[in-house]
Amino acid sequence: MYNKEQTKNLQQKTTDWLLKINKENAATVTQPSIEDLRAILRFHEYRYYVQNDPLIGDTEYDVLYKLLEKMEKENPSFITADSPTQRVGKGLVSSFPKVQHLVPMLSLENSYNEADLVDWDRKAKELSGLPEIEYCVEPKFDGASISLIYDNDQLNRSATRGDGVVGDEITQNTRQIKSVPLTAAFSNYGIEQIEIRGEVLINKSNFKKYNDKLIEEGIPPFANPRNSAAGSLRIKDTAEVSRRNLEAFLYHVSYITTTDNRQPTTHSGMLDMLWNLGFRSPKKEMIVVKGIDKVIQHVAEFESKRDTLPYEIDGMVVKVNDLQLQERLGMTSHHPRWAIAFKFKARQATSKLLNVEFQVGRTGAVTPVAKIAAVAVGGVTVTSISIHNEEYIKEKDLMLGDTILIERSGDVIPQIVKSFPELRNGEETIIRFPTQCPVCNHPLFKPEGEAVWRCININCEAQVVERIIHFVSKDAMDIKSFGEANVRKFYELGLLKDVPGIYKVDFEAIGKLEGFGKKSVDNLQAAIENSKTQPLHRLIYGLGIRYVGETTAKTLANAVDHLLEFTGFSEEQLQNMEDVGIKVAGSIYRFFRDAENLQLLQQLEALGISLKNQKKQVALNDALSGQTFLFTGTLTQLKRSDAESMVEENGGKIVSGVSSKLNYLVVGEDAGSKLEKAKKIQTIKIISEEDFIKMLPA
Ligand code: IVH
């Protein structure tokens, strides 16, 4: 897309603009200078979203973007539809009109084993009369399919698959996907109109973040990234679509009108062309091979890498590479004969819903948990699955005794995808929600506008125990030797009755319990002692303030020097913080206005737990200040998450990819492509884990 010369040129221009902004706040605005700035922003979007290799930081991008916005606002006549600012839809889409695809969007024939592939190859050879066929093999992306139509280099229309013939027009939403260019120079290839197909995805880490947020808000999460991508494409609020961080892989040219014959003649050539025009095609993820044996070998290799990819794939697609041969092989009414999908081992399985138990969480929320007939899915045996709330049970139409479809994708917790009402035999029974707390018998209450029934007895044993378990958990105060089982045991024995009780436990009494030798008591004591100086965000998260997850806890911790400063924050001040909406701000505000909570915090402080933001203080005379780090390969002495925290605690920053913005690449065992990439950028210092540890203050 951008050759070396252009890259250098655009990077130089970026620096010039950033300097200029600092100096004169860009007083002189002309149409060419706006176009220049747009070209710079498009270049950085491409580096970030398509190549996954940014050359500038997010803040620098934002500064340039804001300037463009300002320039366009002051000179509206200079705005063009393909300006980077014109992606951001501000309004609501009223509906998604139905549109007919230029060519029906067929699906693919599926194969599940080697024999299926051999058989398919044999038929293709027979039909073509060739002794061996060249194939292109690429991942089968597990998302929602879309079509994009470009007319005279401009993105003109985008649609969902729909029934394959007619889909929903979702152009406004597709414009929010930063890896989809709004303009692309197809005319350089003699192309007037082109329809491209691809898959919209949410990567695993964004999916997890988004689902965690839903869970925190008491909303049932999406079962898998595919459902979440498909759902996101049909949201009417384009700004919300933009926030979902959708990505797109474009893998097929389905229709083309041309002025000459400058177009590629192979499928892999088309992927190259798309890549060169700024699309994220699977150019780097595909291979071209001759003969089905090599296809089979590659497919097996890729399946073993499946869990290491940042996005979900559910198989591979094998395509005849020569486009003329594709044409000759043609289509059946359901699928092309020139392509076949190879499906990986299923991560879905059917089971039976045997029983529902009701668990009381630390906020009093009563969660139904389905007990199901044990079934292996995605490499683990599943016997219970959270079914969230009463509405979810209705929505999924669940009854005791139902056959259900469950899914566990990657490291996502198992979910029920659907029930099969058509398989009922009349013996199924309705799931009845309790009216009283299953632990303390207190009547349950459902606040207006919420989906969750709660036990509002703050002294309900289940809640107290869950609060302590949460406080000591790995992502909160991380008191290792405590653990869920010990908390329950000590509570039952009366050795622990609340959170401050952790710091007052009677070690002598514990030492007398069966299974607790001197060593384990010493370990417990040391772990409790260590937790007193955990970073503030861990304490905040551990307090279990409603809607405050790890990310919000970090934001809060960074805003103060001492936790009790929040008692003076207004709701408005809280709302001004990143990622804190009205609901979250209200919850934090109430927490720090509650006398019992304040008493708890004072008690903790008196017991020696630090309420101070130590990180802020360390960061002031910081060892790694202003330096960026990235870890690659397997670390042998430190846990990756701990190493990353150490960087941040010492004023450094973790970046997501290798680019000229990176100062240090810390290399563990079996480092791969990141190391290779870093070697090509001279300014990056490549160091070992030991070197990194030496950089930390003693
Ligand atoms: S080619 C005419 N390539 O899988 C056939 N499809 O089960 C065009 N998919 O509807 C499709 N990754 O949504 C193709 N690399 C890939 C794909 C892919 C995912 C989806 C696509 C299609 C479905 C068929």
Side-chain angles (χ1 to χ4, degrees):
M1 169 79 177
Y2 295 93
N3 62 29
K4 253 193 186 151
E5 198 57 34
Q6 290 165 320
T7 303
K8 233 171 94 186
N9 187 13
L10 281 157
Q11 187 62 6
Q12 184 56 48
K13 281 188 175 179
T14 307
T15 321
D16 294 348
W17 270 93
L18 286 168
L19 281 173
K20 191 161 139 191
I21 294 170
N22 279 343
K23 266 204 213 129
E24 58 185 88
N25 220 359
T28 44
V29 177
T30 59
Q31 190 155 13
S33 70
I34 286 197
E35 223 6 273
D36 205 38
L37 189 51
R38 282 189 195 125
I40 291 170
L41 284 163
R42 279 191 205 109
F43 166 67
H44 290 296
E45 283 184 353
Y46 173 78
R47 295 292 305 205
Y48 187 95
Y49 294 103
V50 179
Q51 290 211 307
N52 200 7
D53 185 16
L55 286 175
I56 54 172
D58 295 358
T59 325
E60 286 160 319
Y61 176 86
D62 286 346
V63 167
L64 293 168
Y65 184 92
K66 291 227 165 73
L67 175 64
L68 177 62
E69 252 183 349
K70 182 168 166 257
M71 285 161 82
E72 288 182 339
K73 203 169 156 205
E74 285 161 9
N75 304 274
S77 62
F78 292 169
I79 301 178
T80 55
D82 60 7
S83 168
T85 58
Q86 300 305 299
R87 284 187 189 278
V88 187
K90 284 170 189 96
L92 299 181
V93 179
S94 57
S95 66
F96 301 111
K98 299 276 176 220
V99 286
Q100 185 155 1
H101 297 301
L102 293 181
V103 180
M105 279 175 92
L106 299 185
S107 62
L108 295 170
E109 184 184 352
N110 284 331
S111 66
Y112 298 92
N113 51 42
E114 275 184 29
D116 291 345
L117 285 178
V118 170
D119 198 41
W120 175 75
D121 172 60
R122 184 184 49 75
K123 280 192 222 143
K125 285 192 294 203
E126 268 170 26
L127 279 170
S128 64
L130 292 168
E132 197 169 52
I133 295 181
E134 185 176 82
Y135 294 116
C136 181
V137 190
E138 53 195 64
K140 185 169 185 307
F141 303 101
D142 197 8
S145 47
I146 51 158
S147 108
L148 307 173
I149 298 176
Y150 286 80
D151 283 306
N152 302 318
D153 296 349
Q154 302 295 323
L155 172 63
N156 189 6
R157 190 185 96 178
S158 167
T160 62
R161 179 175 186 276
D163 63 7
V165 178
V166 172
D168 288 338
E169 202 247 71
I170 49 155
T171 318
Q172 274 315 325
N173 285 351
T174 307
R175 288 173 72 95
Q176 311 309 318
I177 306 173
K178 305 275 199 328
S179 51
V180 172
L182 300 179
T183 173
F186 286 110
S187 45
N188 290 349
Y189 291 83
I191 296 171
E192 283 178 330
Q193 186 180 48
I194 185 166
E195 184 181 45
I196 314 166
R197 300 218 162 135
E199 208 79 359
V200 171
L201 313 162
I202 291 192
N203 73 32
K204 290 179 192 167
S205 105
N206 281 328
F207 172 72
K208 188 169 180 311
K209 267 192 222 152
Y210 186 63
N211 258 1
D212 285 350
K213 208 166 155 197
L214 291 179
I215 293 170
E216 235 167 81
E217 291 179 12
I219 303 169
F222 283 103
N224 49 48
R226 176 185 57 252
N227 289 3
S228 145
S232 301
L233 280 181
R234 300 184 45 83
I235 296 175
K236 296 203 167 149
D237 176 358
T238 45
E240 174 59 22
V241 179
S242 175
R243 280 195 286 277
R244 299 266 173 111
N245 289 321
L246 300 171
E247 301 178 13
F249 269 104
L250 281 313
Y251 47 64
H252 179 60
V253 171
S254 49
Y255 180 81
I256 199 164
T257 61
T258 58
T259 50
D260 51 41
N261 49 15
R262 275 182 288 163
Q263 305 78 43
T265 56
T266 58
H267 174 70
S268 55
M270 284 291 188
L271 296 184
D272 274 344
M273 174 187 82
L274 290 176
W275 179 264
N276 291 337
L277 290 173
F279 291 85
R280 190 174 179 204
S281 76
K283 172 186 160 81
K284 303 209 164 146
E285 290 76 8
M286 63 91 181
I287 58 158
V288 176
V289 290
K290 269 212 164 126
I292 204 70
D293 291 346
K294 294 208 181 89
V295 170
I296 290 168
Q297 193 189 338
H298 179 69
V299 161
E301 276 167 22
F302 223 92
E303 182 162 14
S304 66
K305 285 201 291 200
R306 180 182 189 183
D307 284 334
T308 65
L309 298 175
Y311 44 79
E312 289 287 349
I313 62 172
D314 60 342
M316 303 293 283
V317 183
V318 188
K319 296 174 180 173
V320 168
N321 200 26
D322 181 337
L323 296 180
Q324 259 183 3
L325 183 52
Q326 282 193 3
E327 189 110 337
R328 270 172 55 207
L329 291 169
M331 319 245 180
T332 72
S333 57
H334 300 288
H335 51 253
R337 288 195 197 88
W338 47 262
I340 191 163
F342 179 88
K343 302 278 277 189
F344 288 159
K345 269 192 285 311
R347 280 171 160 175
Q348 288 189 334
T350 50
S351 177
K352 268 226 158 2
L353 175 49
L354 304 177
N355 190 17
V356 173
E357 287 178 2
F358 294 88
Q359 288 179 359
V360 186
R362 68 186 153 82
T363 61
V366 177
T367 311
V369 177
K371 298 288 159 183
I372 64 165
V375 60
V377 49
V380 291
T381 303
V382 180
T383 53
S384 38
I385 301 183
S386 167
I387 45 176
H388 311 292
N389 58 44
E390 215 178 2
E391 248 162 57
Y392 184 87
I393 294 173
K394 273 196 208 127
E395 205 179 281
K396 298 267 168 181
D397 189 8
L398 299 177
M399 288 179 84
L400 292 178
D402 264 350
T403 303
I404 47 170
L405 180 67
I406 68 162
E407 171 162 333
R408 184 185 166 275
S409 36
D411 53 2
V412 174
I413 46 169
Q415 307 258 3
I416 295 185
V417 180
K418 60 178 195 158
S419 68
F420 294 95
E422 63 275 26
L423 298 182
R424 285 180 187 152
N425 62 10
E427 285 172 22
E428 296 75 16
T429 52
I430 288 174
I431 300 168
R432 294 209 183 280
F433 228 81
T435 51
Q436 287 174 314
C437 172
V439 176
C440 72
N441 283 330
H442 203 281
L444 295 182
F445 170 73
K446 186 154 82 161
E448 180 131 0
E450 285 197 17
V452 178
W453 283 96
R454 284 178 198 280
C455 167
I456 48 168
N457 169 18
I458 187 123
N459 296 317
C460 167
E461 281 191 9
Q463 292 179 52
V464 175
V465 173
E466 293 300 330
R467 278 201 293 269
I468 305 174
I469 292 172
H470 177 72
F471 190 86
V472 300
S473 68
K474 189 169 133 278
D475 297 326
M477 297 298 263
D478 193 21
I479 310 185
K480 286 208 177 56
S481 321
F482 235 113
E484 183 171 339
N486 281 343
V487 171
R488 290 192 193 284
K489 191 173 194 167
F490 299 163
Y491 187 86
E492 269 164 33
L493 294 171
L495 291 167
L496 180 64
K497 63 177 191 5
D498 52 18
V499 166
I502 297 168
Y503 298 94
K504 296 188 276 189
V505 282
D506 181 347
F507 292 108
E508 215 169 292
I510 290 176
K512 287 186 190 138
L513 298 177
E514 214 187 295
F516 281 87
K518 179 168 172 358
K519 187 140 188 253
S520 49
V521 175
D522 286 350
N523 284 346
L524 184 62
Q525 200 163 2
I528 292 175
E529 206 47 44
N530 276 342
S531 76
K532 291 182 177 173
T533 50
Q534 282 286 26
L536 186 58
H537 67 85
R538 284 179 168 272
L539 173 65
I540 298 177
Y541 177 64
L543 291 172
I545 308 169
R546 274 192 75 191
Y547 309 128
V548 175
E550 281 176 78
T551 317
T552 313
K554 282 189 182 157
T555 310
L556 291 176
N558 278 333
V560 289
D561 292 317
H562 191 282
L563 187 56
L564 288 174
E565 283 171 35
F566 281 117
T567 55
F569 271 55
S570 67
E571 281 194 71
E572 203 186 353
Q573 263 173 307
L574 291 163
Q575 277 173 37
N576 283 337
M577 298 170 78
E578 207 179 304
D579 262 345
V580 178
I582 296 177
K583 201 157 78 174
V584 186
S587 166
I588 302 167
Y589 180 80
R590 283 190 298 278
F591 184 93
F592 286 100
R593 288 286 185 293
D594 180 286
E596 265 185 60
N597 290 336
L598 298 184
Q599 209 185 345
L600 166 74
L601 293 177
Q602 280 152 0
Q603 229 180 323
L604 287 175
E605 194 166 37
L607 288 163
I609 293 90
S610 167
L611 307 192
K612 286 194 189 129
N613 182 358
Q614 298 150 31
K615 178 175 152 184
K616 239 184 161 182
Q617 285 151 11
V618 177
L620 284 177
N621 45 12
D622 221 331
L624 309 180
S625 173
Q627 304 295 327
T628 58
F629 287 79
L630 180 66
F631 293 88
T632 186
T634 316
L635 304 185
T636 52
Q637 302 183 42
L638 299 170
K639 245 173 59 190
R640 166 103 43 126
S641 56
D642 289 344
E644 288 177 350
S645 306
M646 287 170 186
V647 169
E648 285 170 351
E649 279 157 19
N650 288 292
K653 213 179 131 193
I654 299 292
V655 294
S656 57
V658 176
S659 77
S660 58
K661 287 270 124 192
L662 176 64
N663 301 119
Y664 291 94
L665 182 75
V666 185
V667 182
E669 281 174 7
D670 299 325
S673 61
K674 284 189 182 133
L675 174 59
E676 290 315 308
K677 218 166 170 187
K679 281 183 184 162
K680 293 188 194 131
I681 306 178
Q682 283 179 0
T683 50
I684 300 178
K685 295 180 200 74
I686 299 172
I687 61 169
S688 68
E689 194 178 349
E690 280 84 43
D691 296 335
F692 169 70
I693 294 170
K694 280 185 205 144
M695 290 173 78
L696 299 168

